Amino acid sequence: AGGILYIPLIGFIIDRAGPSIGYAILVAAYVSFSVLLLAFPETGSPRVACAAFVVFAFCRPLFYSLNASFCGERFGFQTFGAIFGLATTLAGFANLLVSPLQCLAADIGFDAVTYILMFFQLSTSALPLYILLPRRGDKPAYGRQRAKSIQWESDSTGSFLDAEVMRANV
């Protein structure tokens, strides 16, 4: 429920900064969440626990919103349903690991599990960065301009009026 408060901020991040900066903000927020989780057993402070909850309430809706934005902008909207469905299915399978991780945390400690989760978060951040960062010889073709060009390509078989509207928007 706390994520509802962050929706305007998340929309601003995605609209103004785009997925690349959004993923960088997500990684920074997730690392701060992990640091707060590691600090809680040491301090025992309810403020640290509340701060971790507040940061997580920001991370979760940002992750899912960035996922949808990234899939649409990068792969186009004709395949959006399939690609976004695959991404959310993989996220659902990852959520099935919560119970085994809870058991593992009870056996070896929460700190070790937090480090494991931080490692996987940082390693999975490499894929969006690899896809979004331009490579030598590539034209930068992502963000709003990429979305407009994809839309132009997909709508190029439409009516003359649609083509004129698209041409005016590009």
Side-chain angles (χ1 to χ4, degrees):
I4 292 172
L5 299 175
Y6 289 114
I7 295 301
L9 176 61
I10 290 168
F12 179 79
I13 290 169
I14 292 172
D15 286 345
R16 300 285 185 205
S20 299
I21 301 298
Y23 275 114
I25 291 169
L26 178 64
V27 168
Y30 185 76
V31 168
S32 66
F33 170 69
S34 297
V35 168
L36 288 167
L37 285 181
L38 290 170
F40 177 68
E42 299 298 322
T43 64
S45 170
R47 290 182 182 195
V48 172
C50 288
F53 175 78
V54 167
V55 172
F56 184 75
F58 172 70
C59 288
R60 189 169 174 90
L62 179 61
F63 171 74
Y64 287 105
S65 299
L66 277 172
N67 189 12
S69 174
F70 174 77
C71 288
E73 283 190 12
R74 184 63 185 175
F75 301 108
F77 292 96
Q78 288 189 339
T79 59
F80 175 78
I83 292 174
F84 184 66
L86 175 64
T88 54
T89 300
L90 290 173
F93 282 127
N95 283 331
L96 292 175
L97 295 175
V98 169
S99 183
L101 286 173
Q102 187 177 16
C103 294
L104 184 64
D107 289 344
I108 65 171
F110 287 96
D111 290 352
V113 172
T114 299
Y115 283 121
I116 292 168
L117 291 174
M118 192 183 311
F119 167 76
F120 282 115
Q121 173 62 33
L122 292 173
S123 65
T124 57
S125 300
L127 178 62
L129 291 175
Y130 173 76
I131 291 173
L132 290 171
L133 293 176
R135 290 176 250 342
R136 201 177 312 167
D138 285 353
K139 294 181 198 174
Y142 52 88
R144 292 176 191 252
Q145 188 60 35
R146 167 91 174 140
K148 287 180 181 178
S149 68
I150 290 170
Q151 192 174 11
W152 172 260
E153 292 165 6
S154 66
D155 289 348
S156 63
T157 59
S159 70
F160 176 75
L161 180 60
D162 291 337
E164 289 302 312
V165 168
M166 292 306 299
R167 187 174 296 126
N169 289 332
V170 173

